[in-house]
Amino acid sequence: MPKAESSVFARWRASGARLIQRHPVARYLTLKVGRAVFVIWATFTATFVLLYVFPADPVDLLVDPAAVGQVRGELREQLAATYGFDKPPLEQYLDRLGHALTGDFGNSVTSGKPVGHAIAETLPHTLVLAALALGAALLIAFALAVGATATRRPWLRNFLTSLPSAAVSIPSFMVAILLLQVFAFTFGWFPAFGDQGWRTMVLPVATLALPVSGPIAQLLIRSFEAELGASYIATSRAKGATRTRILTGDVFRNASLPALTIAGIVFGNLIAGSVITETVFSRQGVGRLTQTAISSLDVPLVQGVVVLVAAAFAAINLAVDLLYPLLDPRIRVSLAQGSAPAGASA
Amino acid sequence: MSTSPMALAPPPEFPATAPVRSAAPAPSPAPEPSPPAEPSRPVAERTPADQPAPPLLSVTDLSVDYRVQGGWFPAVREASVAVEAGEFVAIVGESGSGKTTLIHAALGLAPANARVRSGAIRFSGVDTTRWRDDRMARIRGNYVGFIPQDPNTSLNPTKRIGRQVVEAVAFNDRAHPGAAGRRSAAIEALLAAGLTDPERIFDQYPHELSGGMKQRALIAIALAGKPKLILADEPTSALDATIQKVILDHLEHLRETLGIGLALVTHDLAVALDRSDRIVVMKDGQVVEEGRQADILEHAKHDYTRQLLAATPARHPGRLLPSADQAGLGQRQDVPAGAAVIEPATPQAAAPATAPAIATAPAIAAAAAPAVAPAAAKASQPPAIAARDLFKHYPLRGKGGGQVRALDGVDLVVPAGTVHAIVGESGAGKSTLAAALVGFTAPDRGAIEIEGRDITRLSRRELRQVRRHLQYVFQNPNTSLDPRFTVERLVAEPLQAFGLVKSRSESRERVRASVRAVALDDSYLHRTPAQLSGGQRQRVAIARALALRPRVVVLDEPVSALDVSVQAQILQLLVDLQAELGLTYVFVSHDIGVVKLIADEITVMKDGLVVESGPAGQVLNRPAHPYTRQLLEAVPGRDLTQAPSRQTTTPPSHHTTSHHTT
């Protein structure tokens, strides 16, 4: 029986290897998916080491610090056995990894509910917030870049190009406080907290979007400028294309490609940034969940959240990697041929 | 609708097609296309008042400045150029001459930091000098087409070729409404540009085409708007010589069949002399000379023009002689002005014997003599370089698993004290061979012996000892020198690396000797590469290679990045140094015209194979392989080597009076 199994496995592996060798697209996919899986696994392992192995006795983390002294003897052993701390670390690790693969990160210490449920309940709120914030950030960044590129007034261009660095240098809690002060307390246009209705979304989205729009805008302005100076733009102008037509027909698409990469990174940051925003605006979401998990030393929940954020990050970047070849024909080619060594191109 | 490419007849006069015609004191449109045989006159004859029509393009006393650090730097100074219908005008100049700026300014394509200070630009008599950009956009494409310099960067990389040509049709050609009409017009333009399979190319991306095909696609884009005039900015400088010939032939053909006016900007006077009716020579932003092709060829008035003529490789009948020998002869006419004057060197023993022969006999056989003599004398010692059966394949991953055969069984023997040139076009494997010879690239198979030692079997440390006597000069001096180092440090670096100098003063002495050997004085020692010209940088690169007193120097395209006049000086310098120090050179070049000036023996490569190898005189005068003949035919400057007069089929310009040199 083991022989049959191994031969089936060997055949499967051989055909897989052939597929990967023959088909560059399969190869590309394998590489990128493999990278994403590795990131998630590495995060899981790192959090396991930090949260379960490093502390002298993980039971201490489970118990209210004020009451640590009272928990001793049998109760302590009982607790350790319930959470599997009595087993050797490697066994614990494999056990937890096995469960994590099925989505089971154990139960929250504070609520007793499964970690997966707690996350599943709050995740949609955060995802909507982060997606809206990303959209808003891109909108602001593109508006700035197009404005700065299209205008022929130097003072306006200088003003527009100086905005992103201003946005970058303001921390997001400052943005939150400023927005609250002006739009919630002074004008009363939008509510200061809560998560009912679209009006409660406006200020949190703005808070998240403004700081991240800065780096995207900086990148886009540079990229628009570089594309506008490219030789093929001179060809387009020589064809008789007007400035507007060149901006929309040539520059916009080619200059936007780098923004795709940064958007992937930014989305991960937005999920991480939701910790502050959701706390300040008293919204439910993964950020708030993280904040409470950390302050109550809810180890399984912390690990679940960290791995989830890593997974979201990996998924977004995977999507970007897969989207890129569809948008840029040059990458499709290097994909199909592999890269020929420099100096040997015929 | 869809007509044959030959019938891409000139549209009615520009003022009649352009939406801006109200501004023009318009001559009435020519009723029918000009017959191709006589391109320049008919337009003039048909104008109602029987007055000559204004030229398609006339630039008068144009000055253009660039804003540089708060000041204005003049790039073009009171330059005047005119192009008549059916005329082929070449604008010739070296880097910094303002030739490209002039053309860009005429098209309204000058960058934002440029301004037209004074002068006028007129298209068919309509002054467009101060026109706004959107107004200029209506002339560009349908009255004047433009072919840019580098085909590799001048097409939008993310758009299919077809779409880029269709855009050019859509912007300019009202006669083809609808997608199908525009598509057929675009296909027609691709055909007219000489692309034989336009349907397939229509759906390809730029990176899927070769450089020559991309340039044809750009010509198609320029033709798609059916212009009367095409301005071409160094359209073939980034291409191989054989492809350059095909593209220029095609441009000439278009001029004859379509009767369009053509202005070609080029750094290469030989190209201009081969192709144009009239030549405008520019230097430092000014037009220094302007005249008919034959006049420039035979009675160039300006010193600079004569200097350019002298520097053109085609002008030289054979190998350059060391300056010391020339001084003895005192009768060679083809020495470029300002050629490197080296410290008095001991005259070669062989030179006086050959001297009388040079003045009389067909040059190459005679010029090869001095080099052959020392080679024969040293026949007993092993050759400087002996490479046998070299293979180097680079795998191509993915589709089909093919490979690039950079070296495919290459043999090379270079006797000590001779110059062996390796010639080939891009992808021939010549740079791979050069890199293998100095041990930068390990061949897959084969042996390389340097002075009798097989370097493919040496340890890294032993290879280092061989390298002391085996130096390499890189193609581009602008990138091969550390920009933060001074000249002194650059040249001293290899000396210190090999531990050849014991004290600071000894190092300084040897650096000075090297720098003087390349005809730079001590004042250059403390400059950085940014403070040097291109030619000076290449001199420093050579000085750096010479500092170790090598016996063999491998030079990879050492003059390709340089202006023609600088190129001539560097070649002369290399010849002088070889005579003085008894060096062995391996000289890699894409340009068989340049190779002629320096080589004793020539190896011609193509696709990793040696197609021909032998003494320079034999390869150049009696090439055995058709590919060698093809390379030789592609060298521009036939008038410079053959009889000085040329029979022109096109009538000479009748437009010489109004454009004086400034």
Side-chain angles (χ1 to χ4, degrees):
Chain A
M1 180 208 123
K3 198 176 176 218
E5 204 179 60
S6 81
S7 83
V8 166
F9 179 69
R11 219 180 304 144
W12 177 80
R13 215 177 57 165
S15 71
R18 223 174 308 127
L19 182 78
I20 287 169
Q21 241 174 13
R22 293 243 179 100
H23 292 270
V25 176
R27 187 194 151 86
Y28 182 76
L29 280 175
T30 316
L31 193 76
K32 295 296 176 187
V33 172
R35 199 172 284 172
V37 170
F38 173 80
V39 166
I40 300 168
W41 169 80
T43 313
F44 178 85
T45 308
T47 50
F48 174 82
V49 171
L50 281 173
L51 296 170
Y52 292 102
V53 180
F54 273 4
D57 190 345
V59 176
D60 290 349
L61 290 180
L62 297 178
V63 186
D64 187 346
V68 165
Q70 294 156 18
V71 181
R72 58 184 68 191
E74 216 170 293
L75 180 58
R76 215 180 165 83
E77 276 161 29
Q78 213 181 319
L79 264 175
T82 324
Y83 286 92
F85 297 147
D86 51 346
K87 294 181 203 152
L90 188 67
E91 201 176 317
Q92 280 186 55
Y93 171 70
L94 291 176
D95 189 39
R96 285 187 188 278
L97 185 62
H99 280 100
L101 284 177
T102 64
D104 176 11
F105 285 87
N107 292 342
S108 162
V109 175
T110 39
S111 68
K113 283 197 288 182
V115 167
H117 287 197
I119 292 173
E121 263 171 36
T122 51
L123 185 61
H125 298 276
T126 304
L127 282 184
V128 168
L129 187 68
L132 283 174
L134 180 64
L138 285 174
L139 213 65
I140 296 169
F142 271 105
L144 277 178
V146 170
T149 315
T151 182
R152 256 169 283 191
R153 294 185 184 83
W155 66 265
L156 185 57
R157 181 176 306 136
N158 291 340
F159 172 69
L160 291 176
T161 49
S162 69
L163 286 179
S165 38
V168 172
S169 46
I170 303 173
S172 62
F173 67 87
M174 268 290 282
V175 175
I177 292 167
L178 270 174
L179 288 173
L180 279 174
Q181 193 65 42
V182 175
F183 294 103
F185 303 143
T186 309
F187 295 117
W189 292 348
F190 305 105
F193 52 83
D195 39 19
Q196 300 305 310
W198 68 270
R199 293 169 70 89
T200 61
M201 296 287 269
V202 175
L203 292 185
V205 165
T207 306
L208 274 175
L210 281 178
V212 299
S213 68
I216 305 181
Q218 274 175 332
L219 178 88
L220 278 178
I221 288 173
R222 235 177 297 136
S223 163
F224 268 74
E225 211 170 295
E227 291 296 327
L228 196 63
S231 311
Y232 68 82
I233 296 300
T235 309
S236 271
R237 294 180 71 191
K239 277 190 222 176
T242 56
R243 204 179 155 84
T244 323
R245 165 81 211 191
I246 282 168
L247 281 179
T248 54
D250 290 307
V251 174
F252 192 81
R253 173 179 166 162
N254 293 355
S256 305
L257 288 173
L260 194 63
T261 311
I262 205 173
I265 297 166
V266 157
F267 193 72
N269 290 346
L270 286 174
I271 293 177
S274 63
V275 174
I276 292 170
T277 315
E278 284 170 358
T279 311
V280 172
F281 291 98
S282 324
R283 298 178 57 83
Q284 54 165 316
V286 174
R288 187 101 169 279
L289 191 68
T290 314
Q291 191 256 331
T292 40
I294 291 172
S295 60
S296 62
L297 291 176
D298 192 337
V299 174
L301 192 54
V302 169
Q303 188 183 31
V305 167
V306 171
V307 172
L308 171 94
V309 170
F313 209 90
I316 292 284
N317 283 295
L318 180 65
V320 168
D321 281 344
L322 298 185
L323 214 61
Y324 233 107
L326 298 181
L327 295 176
D328 193 335
R330 285 166 297 181
I331 293 177
R332 278 210 290 281
V333 164
S334 60
L335 243 177
Q337 295 178 341
S339 41
S345 52
Chain B
M1 233 207 69
S2 166
T3 50
S4 89
M6 293 302 137
L8 272 178
E13 286 286 15
F14 145 62
T17 51
V20 288
R21 87 190 81 132
S22 54
S28 66
E32 62 209 58
S34 328
E38 210 188 12
S40 60
R41 293 209 75 89
V43 177
E45 284 165 5
R46 285 201 196 94
T47 46
D50 203 26
Q51 280 171 357
L56 294 180
L57 167 66
S58 106
V59 173
T60 35
D61 299 331
L62 186 73
S63 296
V64 183
D65 300 340
Y66 282 114
R67 181 178 276 286
V68 180
Q69 289 165 352
W72 289 100
F73 171 81
V76 175
R77 294 186 282 177
E78 298 181 346
S80 299
V81 173
V83 185
E84 301 281 347
E87 195 184 23
F88 196 137
V89 177
I91 301 170
V92 182
E94 297 187 294
S95 48
S97 64
K99 57 191 191 299
T100 295
T101 304
L102 176 73
I103 289 298
H104 281 179
L107 285 161
L109 293 179
N113 64 339
R115 67 161 188 200
V116 172
R117 181 155 41 89
S118 60
I121 299 153
R122 290 190 189 84
F123 288 102
S124 286
V126 182
D127 190 337
T128 66
T129 318
R130 307 277 163 199
W131 278 19
R132 286 205 330 271
D133 190 62
D134 52 350
R135 210 171 168 200
M136 280 305 290
R138 295 185 223 168
I139 307 181
R140 291 192 292 252
N142 72 29
Y143 175 79
V144 52
F146 174 65
I147 304 172
Q149 185 159 12
D150 184 357
N152 300 314
T153 58
S154 295
L155 287 163
N156 188 334
T158 61
K159 277 187 191 171
R160 293 176 200 277
I161 299 290
R163 206 170 135 210
Q164 302 192 43
V165 184
V166 163
E167 282 175 355
V169 175
F171 294 153
N172 301 303
D173 191 354
R174 302 279 143 81
H176 290 92
R182 283 175 188 159
R183 188 189 155 94
S184 69
I187 297 268
E188 203 179 292
L190 286 166
L191 259 178
L195 287 162
T196 44
D197 193 1
E199 296 280 350
R200 190 169 59 86
I201 284 158
F202 196 88
D203 289 321
Q204 284 184 308
Y205 285 103
H207 61 257
E208 296 171 298
L209 305 181
S210 69
M213 286 165 90
K214 275 184 250 190
Q215 194 56 280
R216 284 173 187 271
L218 284 159
I219 293 174
I221 286 172
L223 289 175
K226 309 209 165 167
K228 308 203 65 177
L229 169 69
I230 287 184
L231 308 182
D233 182 13
E234 301 257 18
T236 56
S237 303
L239 302 175
D240 277 329
T242 51
I243 298 163
Q244 158 167 302
K245 180 168 187 290
V246 174
I247 295 281
L248 291 175
D249 283 348
H250 193 77
L251 284 178
E252 265 192 299
H253 167 78
L254 288 173
R255 184 271 293 259
E256 277 157 26
T257 51
L258 307 182
I260 51 180
L262 202 51
L264 174 79
V265 171
T266 178
H267 67 281
D268 192 341
L269 186 55
V271 164
L273 287 167
D274 278 359
R275 306 287 172 173
S276 56
D277 306 321
R278 215 147 47 73
I279 294 173
V280 176
V281 182
M282 287 187 75
K283 182 180 194 291
D284 299 334
Q286 288 177 313
V287 173
V288 295
E289 181 147 10
E290 192 249 4
R292 284 177 16 222
Q293 186 266 356
D295 292 342
I296 298 282
L297 182 63
E298 283 158 52
H299 336 277
K301 290 189 285 287
H302 199 277
D303 280 346
Y304 179 70
T305 313
R306 285 201 287 270
Q307 197 181 323
L308 275 183
L309 276 167
T312 308
R315 182 115 261 204
H316 298 258
R319 197 174 183 277
L320 293 172
L321 287 181
S323 308
D325 299 353
Q326 288 167 15
L329 286 169
Q331 54 189 2
R332 296 268 297 191
Q333 293 303 302
D334 54 4
V335 185
V341 178
I342 198 102
E343 309 232 308
T346 17
Q348 287 294 89
T354 53
I358 285 160
T360 53
I364 289 163
V372 173
K378 291 175 187 168
S380 56
Q381 73 182 71
I385 295 178
R388 270 186 306 279
D389 210 21
L390 294 182
F391 281 84
K392 181 76 187 176
H393 292 184
Y394 292 104
L396 274 177
R397 279 184 289 154
K399 261 183 214 163
Q403 44 188 211
V404 176
R405 297 171 169 225
L407 297 176
D408 212 12
V410 172
D411 296 311
L412 184 74
V413 177
V414 185
T418 65
V419 180
H420 195 109
I422 299 166
V423 188
E425 302 193 301
S426 48
K430 55 192 191 304
S431 287
T432 308
L433 178 58
L437 291 180
V438 291
F440 289 163
T441 312
D444 299 339
R445 191 141 63 80
I448 300 166
E449 281 178 13
I450 304 293
E451 298 179 329
R453 295 180 84 185
D454 186 350
I455 61 162
T456 56
R457 290 158 200 276
L458 294 183
S459 70
R460 200 167 280 193
R461 198 191 306 159
E462 290 168 319
L463 185 60
R464 206 171 132 78
Q465 285 315 307
V466 173
R467 283 229 183 96
R468 225 193 97 183
H469 305 293
L470 173 66
Q471 284 294 300
Y472 190 90
V473 174
F474 290 90
Q475 176 167 11
N476 192 343
N478 305 325
T479 52
S480 64
L481 301 175
D482 190 321
R484 294 166 305 134
F485 282 21
T486 60
V487 169
E488 179 165 18
R489 207 172 148 199
L490 283 166
V491 180
E493 199 187 18
L495 290 172
Q496 284 151 5
F498 280 96
L500 293 179
V501 282
K502 285 172 194 73
S503 65
R504 248 211 142 103
S505 60
E506 192 187 349
S507 164
R508 188 162 300 159
E509 264 325 294
R510 282 191 66 169
V511 167
R512 285 199 179 160
S514 291
V515 170
R516 281 190 204 130
V518 296
L520 292 177
D521 63 50
D522 293 353
S523 66
Y524 288 92
L525 287 175
H526 303 292
R527 298 202 195 177
T528 57
Q531 295 166 306
L532 302 174
S533 70
Q536 286 166 345
R537 277 179 218 158
Q538 196 60 298
R539 279 169 198 266
V540 171
I542 292 168
R544 181 183 157 97
L546 291 179
L548 291 169
R549 299 191 186 136
R551 293 192 286 269
V552 181
V553 183
V554 175
L555 306 120
D556 185 9
E557 302 266 14
V559 294
S560 325
L562 305 174
D563 275 330
V564 190
S565 58
V566 182
Q567 169 182 307
Q569 292 169 24
I570 295 289
L571 287 171
Q572 185 64 53
L573 171 71
L574 289 171
V575 168
D576 291 346
L577 288 170
Q578 199 223 358
E580 196 184 337
L581 308 169
L583 298 169
T584 307
Y585 289 150
V586 174
F587 187 97
V588 175
S589 178
H590 68 282
D591 188 344
I592 203 165
V594 164
V595 155
K596 184 177 72 177
L597 302 184
I598 192 161
D600 300 318
E601 287 178 45
I602 297 176
T603 291
V604 182
M605 288 185 71
K606 185 177 197 292
D607 302 331
L609 293 166
V610 171
V611 299
E612 182 163 5
S613 186
Q618 183 191 316
V619 173
L620 295 168
N621 297 336
R622 299 179 298 280
H625 197 278
Y627 180 67
T628 314
R629 279 196 288 277
Q630 203 184 332
L631 281 182
L632 284 165
E633 277 160 19
V635 176
R638 53 175 183 264
D639 289 349
L640 291 166
T641 43
Q642 293 161 9
S645 69
R646 151 173 128 149
Q647 32 121 351
T648 36
T649 47
T650 47
S653 166
H654 52 276
H655 190 82
T656 46
T657 46
S658 60
H659 301 283
H660 299 292
T661 52
T662 48

